[in-house]
DNA sequence: GATACGTGGCA
DNA sequence: TTGCCAAGTAT
């Protein structure tokens, strides 16, 4: 149980602002309604992990139309789920999403646990998502701390400790300003504030409802908070990808290993990605190498993928597991962005050859 | 605690 | 153009 402290003014000011200016988002119940659907709250929170609202909206719409309930999602085929997630990134989320739906359907009768502890035990639900679902879907006074809340709280209290070491301090401060009632609205209001007013760069302090509560506002540079440690430089890697097209308009696609980078996703056959990758093609054939490699930036390295193209007769197949995929349906293959771009480059080249 | 894990928008 | 950053989780 939280003790009502000296910071209740902050929650009051923020909720008053939220009642007037809350963003209308597809996963939010309409104003005045308290009918937040735990399935939709959970799905949106998983999609929003490290991902912008603008990127999530079309995926959320597509998923809820195709799979309206957690039981429906639990019945999805792995390949269909992964293909539907393609392009959104962090594909472990999609694998855990399906695992979580199946646990909820099989072990909880299709009803999400309502407590942080119960939610935290499910695949893909960490401290943040457990607190967010408990607060937003079930009205519990959970302390919800995401990157927005970290930034807002670091500024409200002008916390000088650099991230990530400041996490415990920030979490304690967040707990002190979280209200006993309307904790879900409070959490969403903090995130709205962080996304639209208390932004990482050039915060709009002039229209901020918490301006008079904010210690950073009284400093010369509010945007200097939160303090962050310098990041390590991102290494660069090289790789090779092979576009194997058959005379009847199909391309050879493989599925990547279940774990690791782009785990479980359809892909072009490719080499390892390293400073000096093995460039041996998967089969002996006449290869054309595209002049411009596909440049792609992952979180922890950047990549130049050199794309090689060949055309095979009908009676030749590459070694190993894979599938011939019709070229006119390449958009439905669910290729992650790197391979979608490689496919676009290869098909453009093939058209020029024809 | 540190690292692996995608992608796109913005300055 | 290049770097920063985003409703984090798993190991």
């Amino acid at each position: 149980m939280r003790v009502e402290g000296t910071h209740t003014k902050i929650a009051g000011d923020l909720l008053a602002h939220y009642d007037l200016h809350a963003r209308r988002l597809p996963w939010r119940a309409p104003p005045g309604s308290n009918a937040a659907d735990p399935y939709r709250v959970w799905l949106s929170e998983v999609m929003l992990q490290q991902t912008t609202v603008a990127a999530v909206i079309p995926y959320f719409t597509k998923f809820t139309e195709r799979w309206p309930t957690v039981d429906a999602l639990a019945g999805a085929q792995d390949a269909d789920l992964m293909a539907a997630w393609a392009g959104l990134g962090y594909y472990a989320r999609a694998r855990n999403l399906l695992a979580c739906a199946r646990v909820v359907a099989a072990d909880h009768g299709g009803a999400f646990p309502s407590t942080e502890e119960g939610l935290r035990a499910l695949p893909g639900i960490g401290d943040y998502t457990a607190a967010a679902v408990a607060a937003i879907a079930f009205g519990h006074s959970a302390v919800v701390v995401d990157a927005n809340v970290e930034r807002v709280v670091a500024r409200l209290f002008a916390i000088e400790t650099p991230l990530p070491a400041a996490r415990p301090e920030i979490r304690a401060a967040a707990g002190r300003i979280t209200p006993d009632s309307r904790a879900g609205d409070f959490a969403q209001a903090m995130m709205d504030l962080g996304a639209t007013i208390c932004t990482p760069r050039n915060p709009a302090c002039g229209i901020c409802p918490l301006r008079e509560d904010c210690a950073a506002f009284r400093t010369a540079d509010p945007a200097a908070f939160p303090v962050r440690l310098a990041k390590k430089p991102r290494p660069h890697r090289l790789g090779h990808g092979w576009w194997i097209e058959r005379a009847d308009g199909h391309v050879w696609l493989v599925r990547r290993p279940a774990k690791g980078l782009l785990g479980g996703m359809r892909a072009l056959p490719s080499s390892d990605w390293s400073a000096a990758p093995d460039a041996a093609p998967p089969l002996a054939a006449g290869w054309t190498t595209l002049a411009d490699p596909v440049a792609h930036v992952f979180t922890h390295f950047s990549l130049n993928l050199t794309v090689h193209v060949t055309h095979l007769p009908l009676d030749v197949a590459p070694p190993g597991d894979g599938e011939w995929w019709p070229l006119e349906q390449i958009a439905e293959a669910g290729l992650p962005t790197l391979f979608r771009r490689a496919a676009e480059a290869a098909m453009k080249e093939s058209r020029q050859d024809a």
Side-chain angles (χ1 to χ4, degrees):
Chain A
M1 188 58 64
R2 187 164 300 101
V3 176
E4 289 284 329
T6 56
H7 297 296
T8 54
K9 177 177 184 304
I10 291 175
D13 289 348
L14 185 63
L15 285 167
H17 181 266
Y18 184 74
D19 288 336
L20 295 175
H21 301 292
R23 290 184 291 174
R24 305 292 177 84
L25 299 171
W27 45 86
R28 284 187 182 167
S33 152
N34 54 0
D37 176 354
Y39 169 65
R40 294 167 64 89
V41 173
W42 162 74
L43 178 62
S44 68
E45 290 300 342
V46 173
M47 287 183 165
L48 286 160
Q49 289 166 8
Q50 297 286 286
T51 308
T52 58
V53 164
V56 165
I57 286 174
Y59 284 86
F60 180 83
T61 302
K62 178 173 64 177
F63 269 65
T64 51
E65 285 175 352
R66 185 167 180 181
W67 298 296
T69 66
V70 68
D71 290 310
L73 190 69
Q77 297 289 323
D78 291 52
D80 291 339
L81 192 292
M82 299 308 287
W85 195 278
L88 199 55
Y90 283 146
Y91 298 98
R93 292 185 296 172
R95 303 193 296 269
N96 286 328
L97 190 82
L98 195 47
C100 180
R102 288 172 177 165
V103 171
V104 171
D107 299 347
H108 300 273
F112 280 87
S114 64
T115 65
E116 278 185 272
E117 182 184 12
L119 290 159
R120 184 68 179 79
L122 294 167
I125 297 187
D127 291 339
Y128 162 76
T129 303
V133 174
I136 297 168
F138 297 107
H140 294 184
S141 181
V143 181
V144 180
V145 183
D146 75 328
N148 289 300
V149 176
E150 283 183 352
R151 183 171 59 258
V152 172
V153 168
R155 288 175 179 168
L156 280 172
F157 301 102
I159 291 173
E160 304 272 5
T161 312
L163 284 171
R167 294 246 156 82
E169 188 177 350
I170 288 173
R171 181 183 177 76
R176 274 180 253 120
I177 62 173
T178 299
D180 286 333
S181 63
R182 297 192 68 189
D185 283 348
F186 177 77
Q188 295 180 90
M190 289 285 278
M191 295 189 277
D192 274 16
L193 190 76
T196 63
I197 293 175
C198 194
T199 50
R201 284 170 294 194
N202 303 315
C205 299
I207 59 169
C208 181
L210 302 185
R211 182 176 49 181
E212 61 183 61
D213 306 307
C214 182
F217 178 66
R218 297 189 285 273
T219 71
D221 184 14
F225 300 92
V227 181
R228 289 180 192 278
L229 258 34
K231 293 188 177 177
K232 290 171 55 175
R234 178 161 32 217
H236 189 65
R237 296 183 189 173
L238 304 174
H240 297 270
W242 290 282
W243 180 262
I244 305 169
E245 197 170 315
R246 201 171 63 176
D248 64 347
H250 287 66
V251 62
W252 185 252
L253 298 182
V254 301
R255 190 171 294 281
R256 292 179 60 82
K259 294 186 176 180
L261 191 69
L262 309 178
M265 300 299 288
R266 281 205 186 92
L268 271 60
S270 62
S271 70
D272 62 305
W273 302 339
S274 61
D278 177 3
L283 78 166
W287 294 94
T288 300
T289 300
L290 303 193
D292 297 319
V294 175
H296 193 76
V297 180
F298 294 100
T299 303
H300 56 298
F301 67 94
S302 57
L303 175 70
N304 269 10
L305 186 75
T306 301
V307 180
H308 309 272
V309 176
T310 194
H311 291 77
L312 296 184
L314 290 178
D315 59 348
V316 177
D321 292 333
E323 56 188 328
W324 288 111
W325 192 270
L327 286 177
E328 68 270 19
Q329 292 175 32
I330 193 67
E332 285 73 55
L335 294 175
T337 298
L338 166 69
F339 292 113
R340 181 175 58 73
R341 291 186 178 146
E344 287 166 359
M347 287 188 288
K348 183 179 176 184
E349 177 72 12
S350 292
R351 278 200 306 277
Q352 289 171 352
D353 289 350

